[in-house]
Amino acid sequence: MRRKAPMSFDDLLKELQDQRANPEEQASLGKLFNETFMSQYSNCKTIQEFLEKGNFQAWSTEDMSLIPEELLNRHVARETKFADWPSMLEKAKTELAAGA
């Protein structure tokens, strides 16, 4: 089976902007990165703890798009089992969709 390539930052930004246009489809950070997900894949218990550890302030997916990609990718690589933010986001979306 072929692996899906990670989403580029530009594609992620477009998707997040599309979600902003359709807020009923937008998952909150807490729902997308719930405690089970964060405990399993990171060194933090919550998404807020993860963000605070990186000195980031974000309360929504829109806020996440404002964090410089390079800084976020380095923090993800350091604090999680993922290589970068797009990989972490894609896994969270997949698990949310699957009801995990």
Side-chain angles (χ1 to χ4, degrees):
M1 186 183 332
R2 250 176 90 190
R3 279 182 45 141
K4 186 177 176 184
M7 183 181 286
S8 73
F9 182 73
D10 290 336
D11 290 341
L12 171 62
L13 184 58
K14 182 181 180 326
E15 183 173 316
L16 291 174
Q17 288 170 337
D18 290 345
Q19 288 177 358
R20 192 170 108 207
N22 299 306
E24 66 278 357
E25 295 176 14
Q26 183 176 351
S28 71
L29 287 179
K31 184 175 179 182
L32 192 58
F33 299 102
N34 59 54
E35 288 187 25
T36 302
F37 180 92
M38 292 305 294
S39 294
Q40 183 176 356
Y41 296 110
S42 79
N43 300 325
C44 303
K45 292 181 182 177
T46 67
I47 188 65
Q48 284 312 123
E49 179 185 341
F50 169 79
L51 293 170
E52 288 170 8
K53 200 170 186 180
N55 293 318
F56 302 121
Q57 291 186 357
W59 303 102
S60 68
T61 52
E62 180 181 352
D63 293 343
M64 293 298 290
S65 68
L66 301 175
I67 298 172
E69 178 182 19
E70 183 180 329
L71 295 177
L72 189 54
N73 284 341
R74 279 194 297 211
H75 185 59
V76 167
R78 210 174 29 248
E79 297 294 331
T80 74
K81 296 179 181 180
F82 301 99
D84 54 31
W85 170 246
S87 300
M88 183 175 171
L89 180 62
E90 190 62 34
K91 182 66 171 177
K93 286 181 176 182
T94 301
E95 289 198 5
L96 183 64

